[in-house]
Amino acid sequence: MEHITMKDIPKDERPCEKCLREGPEGLSDAELLSIIIRTGSREDNSLALAQKILALNYPREGILGLLHLSMQELMQVKGIGRVKGAQLLCIGELSKRIWKRTASLKGTDFHRPQDIVNYFVEDMRHREQELVFVMLLNTKGALIKDIMISQGTVNTSVVSPREIFIEAVKYHAVSLVLVHNHPSGDPAPSREDLSITRRVKEAGDLIGIRLLDHIIIGDNSYISLKERGIV
C-alpha cells in the first residue's frame, strides 16, 4: 500500500492549516491528535497514526479511550515510541486536571454530593482500578487538598482510617469526604464500603474531624452514603 505523507494531502486539508483557518473546534478528534503528535512514521503520517490510536479501544468512544490506555498499549502502534506515548498520556492527565480545576472553581462548598461528583467524575469514571480519595475541607467547606489514599485491583482496595486522619490533621482539615470508584460501573456499596465508612465516621467523631459523606462513583451514576442515611 502506498505511503501517503502529510505533504501528499492538499494543503487546505492538513490539520495544522485547517486549525489556523477554522480554529481547533473545527478539527476532528484524529486531526487534533495528529497536531499534538506532530510527526508520523515511515508507514503512516501523523493523521493515520492518530486514527490508529483512537481505534485502540474500539468499541469505546475514540477520544475517551485515551484515558484507558497505558504506555505499553500505545507503543503497540508502530510509530509510537516512549516520547509520543508520554505526550499522549500527558494529554489525558491534563484534561482530567483541567476538569477538576474547573469544577473546583464553580463553587467552594463541597457539602453537596453533586458538587463532589462533578469534581471527580471525569477523572474516576474511566479508571480500571479502584481508587479511594479523601477530600480535606476547611470550616467553609472549601477544598484544602484531595489525596489518593488507596489504589487497588478491580475488586478490592485497602483503606486505613489511621492514614486518612494523619493527612487530615497534617492539613488542619475540619471535615472530610471519602470518594471512590467502582470499575464495574455499578456504584452500589459493598459490605467493605459500609464498614470503612462506619470506621472513619467513628474515628472522626472521636477526634473532631467530621466525615461529611462517602461518594461512590460508577459509570454515569453515583451513590451518596449521606443521602442513604448511612453517614
Side-chain angles (χ1 to χ4, degrees):
M1 186 173 179
E2 185 181 357
H3 172 50
I4 299 175
T5 68
M6 197 59 74
K7 289 182 180 179
D8 295 324
I9 298 175
K11 189 173 182 179
D12 62 350
E13 295 178 16
R14 297 173 195 169
C16 190
E17 282 75 9
K18 187 176 176 181
C19 179
L20 293 173
R21 185 177 68 252
E22 300 179 15
E25 62 276 7
L27 301 184
S28 68
D29 292 344
E31 289 169 334
L32 283 168
L33 207 54
S34 72
I35 290 177
I36 291 166
I37 62 179
R38 295 181 58 201
T39 58
S41 65
R42 290 183 179 181
E43 288 79 15
D44 295 305
N45 61 43
S46 61
L47 185 57
L49 272 183
Q51 290 166 339
K52 287 184 176 181
I53 292 163
L54 292 175
L56 281 176
N57 262 337
Y58 183 82
R60 282 181 177 143
E61 188 177 349
I63 199 69
L64 291 180
L66 281 177
L67 299 176
H68 293 270
L69 295 171
S70 66
M71 176 69 83
Q72 290 74 24
E73 289 169 324
L74 288 167
M75 290 177 66
Q76 289 175 7
V77 177
K78 194 171 182 180
I80 301 297
R82 294 181 65 83
V83 172
K84 281 190 172 66
Q87 289 174 322
L88 293 167
L89 292 177
C90 286
I91 291 169
E93 181 61 25
L94 186 62
S95 69
K96 288 184 284 189
R97 293 190 188 190
I98 289 171
W99 176 269
K100 287 177 73 175
R101 181 61 177 158
T102 301
S104 70
L105 291 175
K106 286 182 178 179
T108 58
D109 186 347
F110 281 99
H111 286 90
R112 296 186 305 171
Q114 189 61 60
D115 291 332
I116 297 165
V117 172
N118 290 342
Y119 181 75
F120 276 103
V121 67
E122 286 306 311
D123 189 358
M124 296 186 76
R125 65 190 284 251
H126 305 295
R127 301 281 192 163
E128 296 181 6
Q129 283 189 320
E130 188 166 315
L131 306 179
V132 182
F133 282 81
V134 59
M135 299 179 75
L136 304 177
L137 309 177
N138 66 18
T139 54
K140 295 182 179 180
L143 181 65
I144 300 170
K145 189 176 181 66
D146 67 83
I147 302 169
M148 185 173 70
I149 55 172
S150 175
Q151 180 171 341
T153 65
V154 168
N155 298 312
T156 60
S157 283
V158 178
V159 179
S160 166
R162 179 177 180 273
E163 292 178 11
I164 291 172
F165 287 103
I166 285 174
E167 297 293 343
V169 171
K170 176 181 176 182
Y171 289 99
H172 307 288
V174 299
S175 59
L176 57 87
V177 175
L178 290 177
V179 184
H180 83 277
N181 64 316
H182 279 179
S184 67
D186 180 3
S190 66
R191 262 188 311 184
E192 291 79 9
D193 296 335
L194 298 176
S195 174
I196 190 62
T197 302
R198 285 191 291 267
R199 289 166 60 201
V200 172
K201 183 179 186 303
E202 290 168 2
D205 289 344
L206 283 173
I207 65 175
I209 301 177
R210 183 184 171 200
L211 174 65
L212 297 180
D213 204 345
H214 184 172
I215 304 287
I216 305 171
I217 297 175
D219 188 8
N220 291 317
S221 59
Y222 75 92
I223 282 177
S224 160
L225 297 191
K226 178 182 178 179
E227 292 179 338
R228 292 286 182 96
I230 296 169
V231 175

